[in-house]
């Protein structure tokens, strides 16, 4: 059986705020996280999605990170 989380591509928008990258996962209620580097954003987003959906991080589908300031 395939988890619903693995069949979804999650869009993550990011912008840099001082020394941090702020990220939001589109379409997720608890959707904000932050990372020290841009390279860490995907992992932090994966962790956030797994926690919000109560699934293992390995069961989270594809994450597409965009550098897009939504403010």
């Amino acid at each position: 059986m395939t988890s619903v989380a693995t069949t979804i591509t999650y869009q993550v928008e990011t912008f840099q705020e001082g020394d941090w990258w702020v990220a939001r996962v589109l379409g997720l209620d608890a959707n904000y996280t932050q990372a020290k580097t841009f390279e860490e954003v995907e992992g932090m987003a994966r962790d956030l999605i797994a926690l919000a959906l109560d699934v293992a991080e390995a069961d989270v589908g594809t994450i597409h990170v965009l550098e897009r300031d939504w403010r």
Side-chain angles (χ1 to χ4, degrees), residues 33-36 40-49:
T33 189
Q34 64 184 16
K36 194 66 173 165
E40 293 175 338
V41 169
E42 183 178 340
M44 296 301 290
R46 185 173 298 281
D47 180 56
L48 174 67
I49 295 164

Side-chain angles (χ1 to χ4, degrees), residues 24-60:
R24 74 174 178 175
V25 180
L26 302 179
L28 193 66
D29 288 339
N31 64 349
Y32 292 93
T33 189
Q34 64 184 16
K36 194 66 173 165
T37 67
F38 184 78
E39 292 75 24
E40 293 175 338
V41 169
E42 183 178 340
M44 296 301 290
R46 185 173 298 281
D47 180 56
L48 174 67
I49 295 164
L51 287 170
L53 300 179
D54 194 26
V55 298
E57 285 185 38
D59 291 335
V60 173

Side-chain angles (χ1 to χ4, degrees), residues 1-13:
M1 185 167 132
T2 303
S3 170
V4 171
T6 62
T7 62
I8 298 173
T9 297
Y10 297 92
Q11 301 292 325
V12 180
E13 294 180 333

